[in-house]
Amino acid sequence: MTETARPTLSGLLEQFEAIGGPEEFGPEGIAIMVALWRRSAKLGWRKAWKMTNTDLMVQTGITNKGTLNAHRKKLVEAGLIAYIQPPRGQSKGDYSVEFDLLGVGVEQNLNHFDSYSEEVGQKVEQNLDHFDGVGEKVEQNLNHFPQVEQKVEQILDPVLKDLLLSSSASSSATTDANQIDRPPDPGYESFYSAHKRVFGFECNPFQAQQLIVYIDEDKMDEAVVIRAMERAALAAIGYRFTLITKILGDYLRSGAKTIEAAKALDDAFEAKKGSSVTTGSVSSGRRQQPSRQQQKRDSLQQRLREEEARGKG
C-alpha cells in the first residue's frame, strides 16, 4: 500500500456515510467498524489481524455477546469485513477489513443480478458509466465532514468516544464467546457490566486493560474477576480499584482461576479468620503473668511504701 493510497479514519467514515452505513447497520455497526479501523491504523493500516471478542466489546462499549455477534454478522454479510472464529481452545478470531467501501457497494449491487442477459449487461454498463458520479458525490460529502463527524459522535457509545482518545486495550475472551450464530446467554455478565452494577459507574479503559490481563494472559475465568469486584465492594469503604487487583493477585498466587476454586479459597480464608478471632478472644481473657522485671519493680515499690509508712509512724 503506497503512502498516497493509505486510508484515513475520516475518509473511511465518509465512505461509510456515503453507502448509508449508519442507517443500515445502526450505532452498534458503526461502533464495530470504527474499533476495527482504529486497530488497523495502530498496526500500520494492516488489512488482516487477530482480535478477541472481549477486546472488541471493551472498545465498542457493547456489553452483550449476542448483540456483538448479530451486528458483526451483518457487516460480514455486507462484505465490509471478514471474520473467522478461532479454533477450539483459542480466543482470537481472524478479522480483515475493506478500505474501498464504495467498491464493495458496487460489487454487492452487481451480485444481485440473476443472469448475464444483454439487458443486464447494458444495465451494468450504465451503472459503471455513472461511477464517476459516485466519486463526485463522495467529494461533495468530504466537504461536509464536520456534519458527518457530529452525527458519528451522536451515534457512538460514550465508551467508544473515550477510547478514540485513549490507547486501545488488549484483551481476550473464551472460545464460546466467539461463536457467531450462538444465541446470547441470558446468564452471562461481562466484567465491564459487573463493575457498573457493583460500583454504580463504568471502569475506565486503563482499568479495563488491567483486568483483561487476568483473563487473557493468566487464563482466569471472567467470573473470578467479577467476584473480586464484589468482595472489594464489601471489604472497603468507598471505591478502591487497588483492592480489586490485590484480591485477584491472591487468587492468582493460590491458583484459583475458576469460580469454584475462588469460592473454596474464600471459604477457607473466612474459616481461618473465624478461628483466629476465637483464639484471640480466649487469650485476651486470661490473666497475663507479670515478667520477672515487673515483679522486681512491684516488690521495690511495695518496700518503699512500707518504709514511708514506718517513717510516718
Side-chain angles (χ1 to χ4, degrees), residues 302-312:
Q302 180 63 29
R303 289 181 182 179
L304 287 173
R305 286 193 292 269
E306 291 177 353
E307 292 291 337
E308 290 177 356
R310 281 197 291 269
K312 292 179 179 179

Side-chain angles (χ1 to χ4, degrees), residues 127-194:
N127 286 338
L128 293 177
D129 290 339
H130 287 86
F131 186 76
D132 291 338
V134 176
E136 294 175 0
K137 182 178 180 181
V138 174
E139 184 176 357
Q140 294 171 358
N141 286 336
L142 288 174
N143 294 331
H144 299 285
F145 182 71
Q147 289 84 350
V148 177
E149 186 178 25
Q150 182 179 2
K151 184 173 183 180
V152 170
E153 289 181 355
Q154 293 172 351
I155 292 174
L156 292 178
D157 186 275
V159 176
L160 179 59
K161 288 193 292 184
D162 290 340
L163 287 168
L164 287 173
L165 303 176
S166 64
S167 61
S168 62
S170 97
S171 62
S172 76
T174 60
T175 301
D176 291 339
N178 293 281
Q179 304 297 326
I180 294 180
D181 297 324
R182 180 171 296 176
D185 181 4
Y188 170 77
E189 182 183 29
S190 68
F191 77 85
Y192 197 84
S193 298

Side-chain angles (χ1 to χ4, degrees), residues 269-284:
F269 174 77
E270 293 297 333
K272 183 178 179 180
K273 185 172 67 173
S275 176
S276 300
V277 171
T278 302
T279 304
S281 63
V282 172
S283 299
S284 62

Side-chain angles (χ1 to χ4, degrees), residues 6 16-17 35 58 64 68 71 117 146 175 177 187 190 205 283 292-293:
R6 184 180 292 271
F16 195 68
E17 174 75 14
V58 168
N64 184 278
L68 176 68
H71 286 83
S117 64
T175 301
S190 68
S283 299
R292 181 170 299 179
Q293 292 179 343

Side-chain angles (χ1 to χ4, degrees), residues 110-313:
L110 293 178
N111 290 336
H112 290 159
F113 293 112
D114 298 326
S115 65
Y116 293 95
S117 64
E118 181 178 357
E119 180 182 357
V120 172
Q122 293 175 353
K123 188 172 182 180
V124 172
E125 184 177 356
Q126 292 172 358
N127 286 338
L128 293 177
D129 290 339
H130 287 86
F131 186 76
D132 291 338
V134 176
E136 294 175 0
K137 182 178 180 181
V138 174
E139 184 176 357
Q140 294 171 358
N141 286 336
L142 288 174
N143 294 331
H144 299 285
F145 182 71
Q147 289 84 350
V148 177
E149 186 178 25
Q150 182 179 2
K151 184 173 183 180
V152 170
E153 289 181 355
Q154 293 172 351
I155 292 174
L156 292 178
D157 186 275
V159 176
L160 179 59
K161 288 193 292 184
D162 290 340
L163 287 168
L164 287 173
L165 303 176
S166 64
S167 61
S168 62
S170 97
S171 62
S172 76
T174 60
T175 301
D176 291 339
N178 293 281
Q179 304 297 326
I180 294 180
D181 297 324
R182 180 171 296 176
D185 181 4
Y188 170 77
E189 182 183 29
S190 68
F191 77 85
Y192 197 84
S193 298
H195 190 283
K196 185 173 183 180
R197 169 179 60 80
V198 174
F199 299 107
F201 56 90
E202 298 164 341
C203 58
N204 61 45
F206 176 74
Q207 293 170 334
Q209 182 180 10
Q210 288 185 278
L211 297 177
I212 285 169
V213 170
Y214 291 97
I215 302 172
D216 187 9
E217 298 182 9
D218 299 320
K219 308 302 180 184
M220 183 177 286
D221 286 354
E222 193 167 2
V224 178
V225 177
I226 296 174
R227 183 173 180 83
M229 293 179 186
E230 294 171 340
R231 288 184 64 81
L234 293 174
I237 299 176
Y239 180 70
R240 289 178 55 195
F241 183 78
T242 54
L243 183 56
I244 300 175
T245 56
K246 182 182 182 303
I247 295 173
L248 287 172
D250 292 340
Y251 285 150
L252 189 60
R253 284 188 293 273
S254 301
K257 298 183 179 182
T258 65
I259 188 63
E260 292 79 11
K263 290 180 178 179
L265 183 67
D266 292 337
D267 291 342
F269 174 77
E270 293 297 333
K272 183 178 179 180
K273 185 172 67 173
S275 176
S276 300
V277 171
T278 302
T279 304
S281 63
V282 172
S283 299
S284 62
R286 297 173 181 171
R287 181 182 297 274
Q288 188 174 2
Q289 297 295 327
S291 64
R292 181 170 299 179
Q293 292 179 343
Q294 184 64 40
Q295 289 176 350
K296 288 183 178 179
R297 284 194 295 268
D298 293 343
S299 177
L300 287 173
Q301 291 177 355
Q302 180 63 29
R303 289 181 182 179
L304 287 173
R305 286 193 292 269
E306 291 177 353
E307 292 291 337
E308 290 177 356
R310 281 197 291 269
K312 292 179 179 179

